[in-house]
Amino acid sequence: MLSLTGVFVSSAVVSLARVHPATTSRLRVLPVTAVQAASTEDTTAARTALFAAIAEFRSAEQAEGKTSIDFGVKGGELDKKSRAPADLRNVWRGRVKSAATAVEDAIQALALCNPTADATKLLGTVEGALCPLHGAWRNVWTTAADASFSPNSTRGDAAVYNVVDGRSGKVTNHIDFASGAQFRVVLRATALSPQRVGLQFRFVKVSPPKPILGLIRTIVIPVPGPFITRVLSLLGRGPKEGPPPAYFDVIYLDDELRVHVTGQGNLFVQRRAPWK
């Protein structure tokens, strides 16, 4: 999940790359002024359609097998050129790919019912607990390879959560592996627009299933800042075009459901989760 150069960190929610061409043709982020008020019935129907499409996707995976993703480029987790999280739409085939297309269609329909005009309101302020994004969110569907886990891989299965602290403007991606290992990817979040959240990686905490040498329970890996990543890129230790921007656009958000698209074009569907 962390490249040897330390330039890119593969996390559960945030992808780092340019928008995927296939995504831009199928799914676009509507400006706030373009989203019209939808009736409660329309919104409920759109949500129901999305959950039904995700259920069909899971059924297709059970029938045809879940795509096995392992660490790094060879494992299919990272894109070969950019070292950013890979897009599973380039891997899915047959019934699974068709079901994924149906999920995207349902997302597009739901986006037209978005009830939250300003998803980033109060993010990073003393009143941040009132920010619509504040709280914990659990992944239920994604196209991002780095956030997809299964028992038929070296990485193993894992539960993925994204926790937004609206007051501090901190986002933490929680990856809890079935083996007992834990990853915590900590980022700084900044409101770039009513829909867009800019992200800057801070550090990664890795907790192995058992203490290393019986003593070390947690390893903290700092993530290089923008200047260092540019230098590493110039030295040939990263993509030639340099590190791509890290951000996501909220395309639907209510009290219980969140859908966003990353700078890479990967989609995430998340539901609010209880959190202490």
Side-chain angles (χ1 to χ4, degrees):
M1 287 197 163
L2 180 70
S3 70
L4 294 178
T5 65
V7 176
F8 295 101
V9 177
S10 171
S11 66
V13 161
V14 183
S15 300
L16 300 179
R18 291 167 292 181
V19 176
H20 191 278
T23 301
T24 55
S25 63
R26 292 184 47 79
L27 182 70
R28 61 191 180 92
V29 179
L30 296 174
V32 176
T33 54
V35 179
Q36 300 180 355
S39 68
T40 301
E41 292 77 12
D42 288 341
T43 302
T44 300
R47 281 169 50 101
T48 300
L50 174 59
F51 294 142
I54 291 174
E56 172 57 28
F57 177 85
R58 290 174 177 167
S59 177
E61 280 194 320
Q62 290 180 351
E64 299 193 357
K66 189 170 184 178
T67 302
S68 177
I69 302 295
D70 278 313
F71 294 113
V73 173
K74 291 184 178 180
E77 180 189 38
L78 302 178
D79 180 81
K80 183 178 181 180
K81 293 183 178 180
S82 68
R83 296 302 195 272
D87 190 328
L88 290 174
R89 285 167 292 192
N90 297 323
V91 179
W92 288 328
R93 297 290 183 270
R95 181 182 166 189
V96 173
K97 188 175 183 66
S98 296
T101 299
V103 174
E104 287 192 70
D105 289 340
I107 288 174
Q108 183 69 80
L110 183 64
L112 297 174
C113 303
N114 184 17
T116 306
D118 192 349
T120 64
K121 182 179 180 179
L122 301 176
L123 180 63
T125 71
V126 293
E127 298 179 281
L130 299 176
C131 176
L133 290 169
H134 179 77
W137 303 86
R138 175 176 56 86
N139 275 12
V140 295
W141 188 84
T142 184
T143 62
D146 68 320
S148 299
F149 301 88
S150 63
N152 63 336
S153 65
T154 303
R155 298 191 307 175
D157 209 357
V160 179
Y161 295 85
N162 174 254
V163 181
V164 179
D165 186 332
R167 298 184 190 89
S168 65
K170 182 176 73 173
V171 173
T172 305
N173 293 329
H174 293 242
I175 308 174
D176 295 333
F177 290 92
S179 65
Q182 296 180 333
F183 276 69
R184 300 290 182 262
V185 184
V186 181
L187 312 96
R188 180 194 299 166
T190 305
L192 300 180
S193 78
Q195 293 169 292
R196 178 165 293 183
V197 177
L199 298 160
Q200 182 181 355
F201 288 96
R202 307 300 294 171
F203 58 88
V204 180
K205 287 184 178 181
V206 181
S207 300
K210 297 180 181 180
I212 300 175
L213 301 177
L215 298 173
I216 304 174
R217 297 183 179 276
T218 302
I219 301 172
V220 178
I221 305 171
V223 178
F227 174 76
I228 297 178
T229 57
R230 290 192 186 98
V231 171
L232 290 174
S233 182
L234 290 173
L235 292 175
R237 300 181 63 186
K240 292 182 179 179
E241 64 271 21
Y247 66 87
F248 65 83
D249 289 319
V250 179
I251 55 180
Y252 180 87
L253 179 65
D254 62 28
D255 291 339
E256 194 267 341
L257 179 64
R258 166 181 155 189
V259 183
H260 68 258
V261 59
T262 69
Q264 180 187 5
N266 273 317
L267 293 164
F268 284 82
V269 178
Q270 301 174 324
R271 301 191 74 164
R272 192 176 289 279
W275 202 261
K276 295 182 179 180

